[in-house]
Amino acid sequence: MQKEIIMTDKIELIGLSKEELAEAIAEIGEKPFRVKQVWQWLYHHGVTDFEKMSNLSKDLRAKLAEKFTITRPKIVAEQISADKTHKWLLEFADGQRIETVYIPEEDRGTVCISTQVGCAVGCTFCHTGSQKITRNLTAGEIVSQFLVARDAYNEWPTPTDEVRHLSNIVVMGMGEPLHNKENTFKALKILSDGDGVAISRRKITLSTSGIVPHIAEVASELGCRLAVSLHASNNELRTRIMPINKKYPIEDILTACQEFQRRAGSCKYITFEYLLLNGLNDSLENAHELVDLMKKYKIDAKFNLIPFNPWPGCDYQPSSKNRAMAFSKELGKFGYAAPIRVARGQDILAACGQLKSKKEQEK
Ligand code: SF4
């Protein structure tokens, strides 16, 4: 049964770092070894009820319940598309709503999480971005999106890597994660902690519109994979498609990407997201400009070519199949993998750039 959200002055445990949890446990006079036990109940077993923490004494369980709380966001609506993509509309204690999507594939499954309510970047092609920024999500709110997905597929206790349905995380939902860096990094550290949810950092991809000052920190502070929304092969075009390019032009982004690669270990490869817009950014000249950029900045790159999902009020058109194929092939000729992504969950508006709640649209 879905737990109702009740405003309380108890401390929320979901989203505390291990160090913060240790402080909280010390404050109620408990020994440090309890920290790992509680952490495992929260993130390895996924319990939301202190009574189920069976290796803790009855007294301690009562003490924890008195001081702390374990909350999941409220599931306002959920939909499963014909291709099994699963979308949740989640509501937090203050009534703000975001969406989380699970995309199952044959040998893995990816949970796409949001980091902000709305987005301040304003990419002109993005349905999500047409919803103005309201606030950053807390680390707990970011973490809890993955926990909701795990609850739905009953992947508790944390299964071994090989048999997981929910094996990967992409930070590509609503919001710009590097505009909410502290909470996003904290949440991803919690989700990758080996005592709990244990998603390997190699299976986490943070996607940014190119917030230059924080790009290299994704390697040095997190060590996860990086995806950059490029969507254009020169500044003039990119500024039209993504006005934030005025602040962070392509040269600055690629210089930051060089630094990312210098700091990154095995997660060095950068994926450049490239939305294919008919007649705008999908010519062979555009492909050649991209190749020149990658060579100039010596970036180990892969391109993810994304078919555009039209939405009412947006004038862009998706590239024709022939143009998309030719573009992909041209990049391939120069040694850059450039698969065309298969759109997922289109029937439930869960595909890229469509992430905006139906309820919000109705409003
Ligand atoms: S694509 Fe990402 S960064 Fe751009 S407006 Fe949409 S949510 Fe924000």
Side-chain angles (χ1 to χ4, degrees):
M1 253 244 306
Q2 180 66 28
K3 239 174 138 181
E4 281 303 311
I5 296 170
I6 303 158
M7 288 289 209
T8 156
D9 46 14
K10 290 181 184 178
I11 297 169
E12 175 60 55
L13 289 185
I14 299 297
L16 294 187
S17 67
K18 246 187 190 161
E19 296 71 31
E20 288 168 339
L21 181 64
E23 277 170 32
I25 298 275
E27 264 167 36
I28 59 164
E30 284 300 321
K31 298 230 160 59
F33 76 93
R34 296 290 185 202
V35 178
K36 190 170 173 184
Q37 286 179 323
V38 173
W39 186 272
Q40 286 179 331
W41 282 115
L42 298 176
Y43 297 120
H44 180 73
H45 296 282
V47 305
T48 54
D49 182 354
F50 292 102
E51 269 313 298
K52 294 198 173 135
M53 300 185 173
S54 57
N55 60 355
L56 307 184
S57 70
K58 208 163 182 276
D59 280 358
L60 176 53
R61 294 198 304 249
K63 204 150 84 173
L64 289 170
E66 196 192 308
K67 293 270 181 213
F68 305 115
T69 182
I70 308 165
T71 321
R72 294 284 194 266
K74 182 175 169 188
I75 298 172
V76 178
E78 62 186 309
Q79 285 173 292
I80 300 180
S81 79
D83 67 13
K84 303 269 191 295
T85 300
H86 193 155
K87 182 175 77 169
W88 295 267
L89 176 62
L90 302 178
E91 184 175 291
F92 299 112
D94 63 352
Q96 293 297 336
R97 295 172 173 187
I98 53 94
E99 292 182 343
T100 302
V101 180
Y102 168 60
I103 308 131
E105 283 164 90
E106 224 165 78
D107 54 348
R108 62 188 178 154
T110 303
V111 181
C112 176
I113 57 181
S114 298
T115 51
Q116 297 182 303
V117 182
C119 184
V121 176
C123 303
T124 54
F125 57 83
C126 174
H127 206 182
T128 305
S130 62
Q131 205 177 318
K132 290 212 166 49
I133 181 77
T134 305
R135 68 169 174 87
N136 284 338
L137 296 187
T138 64
E141 289 167 341
I142 298 169
V143 167
S144 65
Q145 295 170 56
F146 189 83
L147 304 184
V148 164
R150 260 220 183 146
D151 290 345
Y153 291 87
N154 199 17
E155 287 214 318
W156 302 113
T158 297
T160 59
D161 229 1
E162 298 72 42
V163 297
R164 279 183 206 171
H165 288 104
L166 280 66
S167 58
N168 294 52
I169 294 174
V170 291
V171 189
M172 288 185 191
M174 191 183 278
E176 163 52 61
L178 297 184
H179 275 166
N180 184 17
K181 192 200 106 175
E182 302 240 316
N183 291 337
T184 301
F185 280 22
K186 188 176 173 193
L188 294 178
K189 284 177 190 169
I190 293 170
L191 290 168
S192 58
D193 187 287
D195 290 330
V197 173
I199 301 289
S200 149
R201 294 189 188 198
R202 279 176 292 112
K203 295 192 173 181
I204 298 176
T205 303
L206 184 146
S207 174
T208 177
S209 59
I211 309 301
V212 166
H214 299 310
I215 286 178
E217 293 164 1
V218 176
S220 48
E221 289 184 32
L222 268 183
C224 71
R225 293 189 186 277
L226 178 71
V228 176
S229 297
L230 198 57
H231 306 316
S233 55
N234 59 61
N235 281 320
E236 196 199 330
L237 189 54
R238 191 164 189 269
T239 301
R240 266 171 76 187
I241 299 174
M242 301 175 73
I244 197 170
N245 192 66
K246 269 189 253 146
K247 190 167 182 192
Y248 300 123
I250 293 177
E251 295 73 24
D252 293 2
I253 293 174
L254 294 181
T255 304
C257 285
Q258 277 184 323
E259 182 58 20
F260 170 91
Q261 296 201 317
R262 203 183 61 75
R263 297 186 196 179
S266 56
C267 295
K268 212 167 143 215
Y269 251 84
I270 297 174
T271 303
F272 289 93
E273 308 284 347
Y274 199 94
L275 193 67
L276 290 168
L277 302 169
N278 204 38
L280 190 65
N281 66 354
D282 62 348
S283 69
L284 295 186
E285 289 70 39
N286 294 128
H288 294 153
E289 279 183 326
L290 286 178
V291 170
D292 290 346
L293 283 171
M294 294 305 133
K295 293 217 181 301
K296 181 173 172 201
Y297 288 87
K298 298 191 175 61
I299 308 280
D300 288 334
K302 178 191 153 186
F303 290 90
N304 208 354
L305 304 180
I306 309 165
F308 176 61
N309 297 305
W311 47 275
C314 185
D315 291 337
Y316 296 130
Q317 293 303 319
S319 297
S320 67
K321 208 173 166 194
N322 283 348
R323 284 180 79 91
M325 298 278 281
F327 195 85
S328 166
K329 230 168 125 186
E330 198 63 18
L331 289 171
K333 264 194 216 162
F334 293 91
Y336 295 100
I340 302 169
R341 197 200 283 169
V342 181
R344 298 289 303 265
Q346 270 184 309
D347 52 331
I348 59 165
L349 289 179
C352 191
Q354 292 184 309
L355 201 62
K356 186 173 181 183
S357 73
K358 194 160 170 271
K359 303 240 169 313
E360 199 61 40
Q361 289 165 24
E362 283 161 10
K363 255 199 248 165

